Amino acid sequence: MPAEAPRASTSKPALLSVEEAKALDVSRMTELFLRHLNPGQLHFMKLLGFHKVKIERAEGMYYYDQNGRAILDFFGGFGSLALGHNHPRILAARRKFQEEHRQEIAIAFMSQYATALAHNLAACSPGDLDMVFLGSSGSEAMEAAVKVAERAAGPKRPKIVYAENSFHGKTKGVLSITDGALYRGDFKLVDHTVRVPFGDIAAIEHAFRTDPEIGTIVLETVQGGGGIIQADAAFWQRLRQLCDKYGVFWVADEVQCGFGRTGKFYAFEHYGVVPDVTALAKSLGGGKSAVGAMIAKRDVYMKAYGSPKTAMIHAMATFGGIGEACVTAIEAINTLYDENLIDNSAEVGGYLLERLKELQARYPSLLKEVRGQAMMVGLEFHDFSQAMPMVLRPLIGMLDDKLKGSLPGFIGSHLLRDHGVLVAFTEYNRNVIRLEPPLICERQHVDAFIKALDEVMARGIVKIVKDFIAAQVK
């Protein structure tokens, strides 16, 4: 018999192993980031000094960098870390799931984990919010929310009202109701939208009354990217009345402000109203998994997908309801309640706001406004010229628009470099520092943050600028 020909072998490219990835230093990370990820983004990271940091691990309220330095996390991944970094209960639940060789992808069958998570979300949701769609991100959850509302409204009412300075995601559907020229770019978006000022109930009532094609309104309960902006209780209560009067479905985007961040499970609960559809993501994944969820009233859901003929129009995607992600979210919700983190958010968040307002009174030429609720706080700084000595204001004032965001950037850079504190910023109002620490935050962490911010602002605007420039040329 002739000898068997050797089996062809696919050659392996020059891949990095997990251990090699872990060992990458800042220089090599920068090289790969420039070559394969986002060269333009690195420009902004360099301005803030973030490009010098390699995170080696994270636990609780802290990151730890390549030098073993602890970095207090008041950024919180834009609200993704309600339970902090690597919460032991989350790690244990995921480890047990893996050790038992539980199923991840079982889309041909019902999943005990997806159904349990849906039950838990319905149990946490007020009113008739009890039908759940599971996905992997806030954008996906919001796409599902908008689609279920549009389907329920019917083909004669396809128009969607959204707010100025809104952010609902970057996928093309919700990008059409995301009010940012930067994100919209030159993409061709859906055009059946109506834009109104956030919190302007008169504008909303006028739109509902004059345009019978409006079937949906989509609003963040707290505008995150807009600079931590809230509307009062009267607005939300009147909105609910108007939606009922005109037959418009209200979608509440709680992706960032939900999951206990404002001292209630949902931010809209502060106002005694219930939307027709809402969405969660970010912290729902326990800081270890990407999980998003749409939760709708049953009658809304059934209008959209209630028959066998329509049931598969927007069924879960391949990774919607994936096993370990659902287990992570189940454990995250239980941990949120078992450890009283919603109450902690309200209590310690109130303390944070109190201490910040003391700083505002001490530095009124720098800090214009402190606003927000619980663990979702915005610090709005004055335009650059207003923080400068009086003699320089007229000259600098001509540059305010170009310099907008510089002062928060300088302060954020100093906080990280000199005090090991990480903060975030907002997309639309660049003068705002955004604070969304984990809900496990304690008063001692607030005190450490306040001490650091106080020391930075005590330098005064001129020294803040000089120190920033000096750091750039090192």
Side-chain angles (χ1 to χ4, degrees):
M1 287 181 65
E4 283 189 23
R7 182 177 294 177
S9 176
T10 301
S11 60
K12 183 178 181 180
L15 303 178
L16 293 171
S17 69
V18 171
E19 286 302 311
E20 288 169 331
K22 185 173 73 172
L24 291 176
D25 61 18
V26 169
S27 175
R28 178 69 169 142
M29 288 163 61
T30 301
E31 176 191 337
L32 296 178
F33 194 95
L34 283 168
R35 187 182 301 171
H36 301 299
L37 285 173
N38 193 330
Q41 185 179 357
L42 192 64
H43 165 76
F44 299 103
M45 296 174 75
K46 285 182 174 179
L47 279 178
L48 297 170
F50 290 8
H51 69 299
K52 298 176 182 178
V53 177
K54 177 190 176 185
I55 298 301
E56 293 287 3
R57 65 185 184 88
E59 185 175 352
M61 287 290 298
Y62 295 93
Y63 290 104
Y64 296 88
D65 72 6
Q66 70 269 35
N67 301 311
R69 180 179 67 148
I71 298 172
L72 180 60
D73 186 4
F74 264 63
F75 171 16
F78 294 120
S80 298
L81 291 160
L83 308 185
H85 297 274
N86 287 306
H87 193 289
R89 280 186 55 169
I90 298 298
L91 297 182
R94 291 169 67 85
R95 190 181 305 115
K96 189 170 190 292
F97 183 90
Q98 295 162 13
E99 289 170 351
E100 293 177 349
H101 291 191
R102 294 289 182 166
Q103 74 276 12
E104 287 286 9
I105 299 172
I107 53 179
F109 312 100
M110 288 186 291
S111 162
Q112 61 268 53
Y113 307 115
T115 51
L117 176 56
H119 165 83
N120 286 358
L121 287 167
C124 293
S125 301
D128 298 326
L129 290 168
D130 57 7
M131 297 297 290
V132 176
F133 170 91
L134 297 173
S136 303
S137 69
S139 291
E140 191 179 358
M142 282 303 298
E143 292 280 0
V146 172
K147 287 178 75 175
V148 77
E150 184 175 334
R151 283 276 308 171
K156 293 182 179 180
R157 305 188 69 179
K159 288 188 178 180
I160 301 169
V161 175
Y162 72 100
E164 293 175 1
N165 295 326
S166 60
F167 184 90
H168 298 293
K170 295 179 183 176
T171 50
K172 281 193 74 174
V174 289
L175 186 59
S176 301
I177 52 173
T178 289
D179 186 39
L182 173 67
Y183 300 124
R184 285 173 166 243
D186 296 317
F187 296 112
K188 177 63 177 174
L189 304 175
V190 299
D191 55 9
H192 55 280
T193 59
V194 178
R195 180 172 174 263
V196 297
F198 182 75
D200 189 337
I201 200 65
I204 292 170
E205 184 168 11
H206 175 76
F208 286 5
R209 187 176 64 250
T210 58
D211 192 340
E213 291 190 353
I214 291 173
T216 304
I217 183 167
V218 182
L219 299 171
E220 296 160 274
T221 315
V222 181
Q223 287 195 321
I228 315 300
I229 304 298
Q230 295 173 277
D232 61 21
F235 168 83
W236 297 108
Q237 290 160 7
R238 181 61 178 154
L239 175 68
R240 180 69 273 173
Q241 293 168 358
L242 290 174
C243 287
D244 292 340
K245 178 179 178 179
Y246 290 98
V248 174
F249 293 111
W250 166 26
V251 176
D253 184 342
E254 293 261 341
V255 167
Q256 189 171 154
C257 62
F259 206 79
R261 181 144 298 278
T262 67
K264 299 281 188 183
F265 187 82
Y266 294 106
F268 60 73
E269 291 183 90
H270 289 286
Y271 310 117
V273 289
V274 180
D276 300 293
V277 188
T278 190
L280 291 169
K282 295 193 182 292
S283 284
L284 182 58
K288 295 298 288 185
S289 190
V291 186
M294 176 275 289
I295 308 98
K297 290 182 176 178
R298 185 175 186 84
D299 64 332
V300 176
Y301 186 91
M302 296 303 285
K303 284 178 183 177
Y305 310 125
S307 71
K309 184 178 179 180
T310 59
M312 301 305 291
I313 291 174
H314 199 86
M316 280 192 293
T318 306
F319 296 112
I322 193 169
E324 192 170 325
C326 287
V327 165
T328 305
I330 290 168
E331 190 68 4
I333 295 171
N334 277 279
T335 302
L336 183 73
Y337 284 97
D338 290 345
E339 298 190 358
N340 296 314
L341 295 182
I342 297 176
D343 296 333
N344 189 70
S345 176
E347 180 187 340
V348 179
Y351 178 64
L352 172 62
L353 284 162
E354 178 185 315
R355 295 295 313 275
L356 286 168
K357 286 175 181 176
E358 291 172 2
L359 286 188
Q360 182 189 4
R362 198 174 306 156
Y363 304 105
S365 65
L366 292 176
L367 191 48
K368 179 180 178 181
E369 186 179 1
V370 175
R371 57 178 176 261
Q373 196 163 9
M375 296 289 189
M376 191 171 186
V377 176
L379 308 182
E380 182 168 0
F381 290 82
H382 285 289
D383 282 335
F384 208 83
S385 65
Q386 298 304 303
M388 295 296 286
M390 188 70 70
V391 68
L392 296 175
R393 288 183 186 180
L395 178 64
I396 302 296
M398 295 185 290
L399 300 173
D400 269 341
D401 190 56
K402 289 184 178 179
L403 292 173
K404 196 172 286 289
S406 297
L407 183 53
F410 295 165
I411 290 172
S413 175
H414 288 317
L415 284 171
L416 178 62
R417 187 192 69 201
D418 301 333
H419 299 277
V421 173
L422 181 64
V423 297
F425 308 95
T426 61
E427 289 91 339
Y428 301 131
N429 187 341
R430 289 171 291 159
N431 277 348
V432 176
I433 282 179
R434 173 172 14 189
L435 305 177
E436 296 183 6
L439 308 191
I440 62 170
C441 183
E442 299 176 5
R443 285 178 176 241
Q444 69 194 51
H445 302 118
V446 171
D447 290 339
F449 168 71
I450 293 295
K451 183 174 184 291
L453 183 58
D454 189 5
E455 289 181 9
V456 172
M457 292 200 293
R459 299 177 187 182
I461 183 65
V462 174
K463 186 142 193 337
I464 288 172
V465 174
K466 283 183 177 178
D467 288 350
F468 178 82
I469 294 171
Q472 294 300 302
V473 298
K474 282 183 180 177

